Amino acid sequence: MQRGSDRLSRRQDDEMKHQLKGLLQSGHPTRTEEWHDPEPVADDDPELASGGRVPSDAFEALRLELARHLARTPFPAHRGDLLRVLRERHAPDPLTHRVEGLPGDRTYRSVQDVAVALHRR
């Protein structure tokens, strides 16, 4: 005998699942009031269609990618520290290769410094 916080018996639960099965699998909204449903993504809006913010230029795209993978990295950091974090967080190989090209003796104070150094190359 199951003792829990079930409000319905097993038979009633199975009956409700059977009644709702078609509605849930139909792909249509299940709410009765339209304002509860999320608004669909606009096809012609690249920011929303891509699921996030679209960078305006190459530098911004590079900085955004670095920030995504170097988030919560302790700065200041050297090239070796950055490479270790990028590999641990499975950053894309092209980004890792670009960071490998940075001078090893320089200290970077922030993601912005790294992005500026990479963008100049």
Side-chain angles (χ1 to χ4, degrees):
M1 178 176 180
Q2 179 182 359
R3 293 181 185 243
S5 61
D6 295 341
R7 296 183 331 174
L8 304 173
S9 69
R10 183 174 291 161
R11 183 186 56 77
Q12 288 173 319
D13 191 35
D14 289 341
E15 185 178 331
M16 285 186 72
K17 285 180 188 176
H18 179 70
Q19 290 173 354
L20 292 173
K21 185 177 181 180
L23 183 62
L24 294 174
Q25 290 180 347
S26 69
H28 297 290
T30 57
R31 300 184 186 265
T32 57
E33 297 179 8
E34 185 179 311
W35 61 272
H36 282 289
D37 293 328
E39 189 172 323
V41 176
D43 293 335
D44 60 341
D45 191 351
E47 287 187 25
L48 297 176
S50 67
R53 187 169 158 262
V54 175
S56 58
D57 60 2
F59 174 75
E60 185 69 21
L62 174 64
R63 191 169 67 87
L64 185 64
E65 187 72 13
L66 283 168
R68 182 178 304 136
H69 295 287
L70 294 177
R72 299 181 187 233
T73 299
F75 282 95
H78 294 285
R79 180 186 67 187
D81 301 327
L82 299 172
L83 288 171
R84 179 182 48 79
V85 171
L86 289 173
R87 289 182 181 127
E88 285 175 359
R89 297 186 181 161
H90 307 289
D93 289 337
L95 183 63
T96 305
H97 293 311
R98 286 186 75 173
V99 173
E100 285 173 351
L102 290 173
D105 59 343
R106 183 156 178 234
T107 301
Y108 302 96
R109 297 179 318 213
S110 66
V111 172
Q112 178 75 16
D113 282 354
V114 177
V116 167
L118 288 175
H119 191 65
R120 288 182 183 161
R121 297 186 143 257

